[in-house]
């Protein structure tokens, strides 16, 4: 499945997608279906480390409607939709395209109906020894796109990651998840 996936990737499409995802003027939106939302979430978390203006759109109807009203002309919407295509994922892609967003579709060889509005399509092959389609190809494509983004951003991306890592090492943030930093800042009674 991985061999088929990478032999089918067009260098022109790949480079166009990387260029879109590194364009700091664009807001990036990512979403998927019941299972493919995992890949969308993974790519979102990684992109968020190297660039700003990234949002993960929920995998259900209400969050999608709430996010859609903020999608605008020139934004990039990455949609992950694989066999047993999800109607609301396809609808989100269509509505985003109608609002002027560039739709990048990650799908399988049978093509999600969202392909009708996608400017760029990256296909992964779901070959699997089990009765379920494998998501390995989708994750591998997401990883490869991310590597292209990191390479293209160069020092800008690395500097952002270093800044985030420094913030994570800051003792004021280290205890914030347990509320310690907040309590210690309050005056004692």
């Amino acid at each position: 499945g991985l061999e088929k996936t990478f032999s089918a990737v067009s260098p022109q499409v790949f480079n166009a997608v990387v260029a879109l995802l590194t364009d700091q003027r664009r807001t990036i939106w990512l979403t998927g279906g019941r299972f493919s939302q995992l890949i969308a979430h993974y790519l979102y978390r990684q992109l968020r480390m190297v660039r700003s203006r990234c949002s993960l759109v929920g995998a259900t109807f209400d969050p999608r409607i709430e996010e859609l009203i903020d999608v605008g002309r020139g934004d990039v919407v990455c949609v992950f939709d694989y066999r047993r295509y999800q109607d609301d994922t396809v609808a989100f892609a269509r509505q985003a395209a109608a609002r002027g967003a560039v739709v990048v579709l990650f799908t399988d060889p049978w093509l999600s109906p969202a392909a009708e509005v996608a400017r760029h399509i990256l296909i992964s092959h779901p070959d699997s020894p089990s009765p379920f389609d494998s998501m390995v190809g989708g994750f591998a494509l997401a990883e490869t796109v991310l590597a292209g983004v990191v390479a293209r951003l160069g020092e800008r991306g690395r500097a952002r990651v270093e800044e985030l890592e420094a913030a994570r090492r800051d003792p004021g943030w280290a205890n914030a998840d347990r509320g310690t930093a907040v309590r210690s800042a309050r005056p004692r009674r």
Side-chain angles (χ1 to χ4, degrees):
L2 285 175
E3 286 177 19
K4 288 180 190 175
T5 294
F6 287 108
S7 66
V9 174
S10 155
Q12 293 82 8
V13 170
F14 178 83
N15 290 329
V17 170
V18 168
L20 285 169
L21 297 180
T22 55
D23 185 343
Q24 300 284 343
R25 297 167 298 180
R26 297 178 184 269
T27 299
I28 310 299
W29 305 87
L30 299 101
T31 195
R34 286 176 297 280
F35 293 103
S36 57
Q37 182 74 2
L38 294 169
I39 306 171
H41 188 235
Y42 178 77
L43 184 56
Y44 160 75
R45 295 293 304 183
Q46 300 294 330
L47 281 175
R48 191 76 181 94
M49 298 253 326
V50 296
R51 61 154 295 157
S52 61
R53 300 179 63 190
C54 295
S55 291
L56 180 66
V57 178
T60 58
F61 181 76
D62 278 347
R64 287 186 174 171
I65 294 297
E66 292 166 3
E67 297 289 351
L68 183 63
I69 64 171
D70 293 327
V71 173
R73 182 162 301 287
D75 287 356
V76 178
V77 175
C78 293
V79 175
F80 294 81
D81 195 32
Y82 300 90
R83 218 167 23 178
R84 308 308 180 270
Y85 310 112
Q86 202 163 314
D87 291 341
D88 56 330
T89 302
V90 173
F92 186 84
R94 287 180 176 146
Q95 292 297 318
R99 297 177 68 84
V102 176
V103 176
V104 174
L105 176 64
F106 291 75
T107 191
D108 52 36
W110 302 278
L111 299 182
S112 160
E116 297 166 7
V117 297
R119 186 170 308 166
H120 303 291
I121 301 172
L122 292 166
I123 295 172
S124 59
H125 288 263
D127 300 358
S128 170
S130 82
F132 304 105
D133 287 347
S134 172
M135 300 301 287
V136 171
F139 274 104
L141 266 180
E143 288 263 354
T144 305
V145 165
L146 178 64
V149 168
V150 169
R152 188 169 178 136
L153 285 174
E155 188 51 39
R156 285 183 298 158
R158 281 188 281 285
R160 183 175 166 88
V161 170
E162 287 173 14
E163 185 177 351
L164 285 169
E165 293 301 323
R168 287 186 176 111
R169 288 189 302 271
D170 181 331
W173 283 100
N175 295 317
D177 64 332
R178 292 185 299 278
T180 326
V182 174
R183 276 198 301 276
S184 64
R186 291 187 190 142
R188 294 186 182 238
R189 295 180 192 223

